[in-house]
Amino acid sequence: MRLLLLHTWGGDARTWAPALRSLCAGGRAAEAPDLPGHGDRADEPFTLAGAVETAAAHAAAGVPGGPADRAAGPGGSAEHPVDRPVDVVGSGLGALVALALARQRPAAVRSLTLVGFPPAGGPAAAGRLAETEERLRRAGTAAFARGYADGTLRAPDPARRELLRRAMAATRPRTLLDSLRATLGWADDEPPRPPGPPCLVLRGAFDERVGAEAAKTLAGRLGGAYAVVPGAGHVAYLDEPEAFAAVLGDFHHRLDRAAAGPAGRYGTEPAAPVRHSSGPPTPTLPER
């Protein structure tokens, strides 16, 4: 089953490079697009609708090499017909996009993994947005990006910090603020609905932005599981890429076993923690 990887706030597709070797073990295919306003699309404005369209295009059969002329099924569209559902993984901003995709195009999503989510709401959200705007105005994007990467990532490897720093430094301030506003403005205020795709809410053990209780509560509301990446902070896929891939792989392996046997659904029990194994992965995305 194909993976669709949606990057964190201020990141881009290349920030997934350290995790790709582990995520693609066994020849599994994965796609990590730039969301609007990020990476190679830095000149575009960010909107949540545009980000969801980007995710839908990569999840659907209409991506390069897919049967674009296939008729759209339930949950698809004429522009983005559904071929085979994908396992969608979103971190931070990417988690917001992933959740919106699962709600708007359910036939495109086999499973949903939300990492470093949900964001703080209420006064804390307003305060963070105002603080970020002021810091960007005073320090400029490059200095802000350096401070954010150093203050957020726990990974000792400077190359991983550089991936996030470079991506954020190349992102326009307006994009950073618009995408942060969209993420902080999220609220699960929709009425109850039938169970969606199997869901995993994943949190770094040392995530200072998303508390354990908030993540567990979200998992319960979505009828999903909660798991922890040991040693990781808010951007777990960059901090501990191998441990991140191991937790995610366990989730998807259970889905594969359920699909191969009697009908079943991944339950709400916590996934087992995974110990970190050392050794730097080799980035497999091309240099920009």
Side-chain angles (χ1 to χ4, degrees), residues 55-139:
H58 284 265
V63 297
D69 56 349
R70 181 168 298 183
S77 69
E79 294 80 12
H80 305 308
V82 173
D83 181 16
R84 296 184 63 191
V86 297
D87 291 318
V88 183
V89 182
S91 176
L93 172 64
L96 174 70
V97 178
L99 183 57
L101 174 69
R103 286 175 167 168
Q104 296 177 28
R105 309 282 176 84
V109 180
R110 182 184 80 144
S111 73
L112 182 65
T113 300
L114 307 178
V115 190
F117 201 78
R128 185 181 170 199
L129 185 63
E131 178 188 4
T132 300
E133 185 169 16
E134 179 63 13
R135 288 175 61 192
L136 282 167
R137 186 184 69 80
R138 287 180 176 273

Side-chain angles (χ1 to χ4, degrees), residues 3-5 13-33 163 237-238 241-242 244-245 281-286:
L3 281 170
L4 177 59
L5 308 172
R14 276 197 53 77
T15 60
W16 286 100
L20 278 180
R21 189 172 76 180
S22 297
L23 289 171
C24 296
R28 188 173 194 189
E31 293 186 57
L163 282 173
Y237 72 89
L238 262 176
E242 293 179 353
F244 174 84
T282 303
T284 58
L285 289 177

Side-chain angles (χ1 to χ4, degrees), residues 151-172:
T152 300
L153 296 183
R154 295 172 50 86
D157 182 358
R160 295 183 205 163
R161 293 176 182 243
E162 184 67 5
L163 282 173
L164 183 57
R165 186 201 66 78
R166 288 177 60 185
M168 184 170 282
T171 306
R172 293 179 174 181

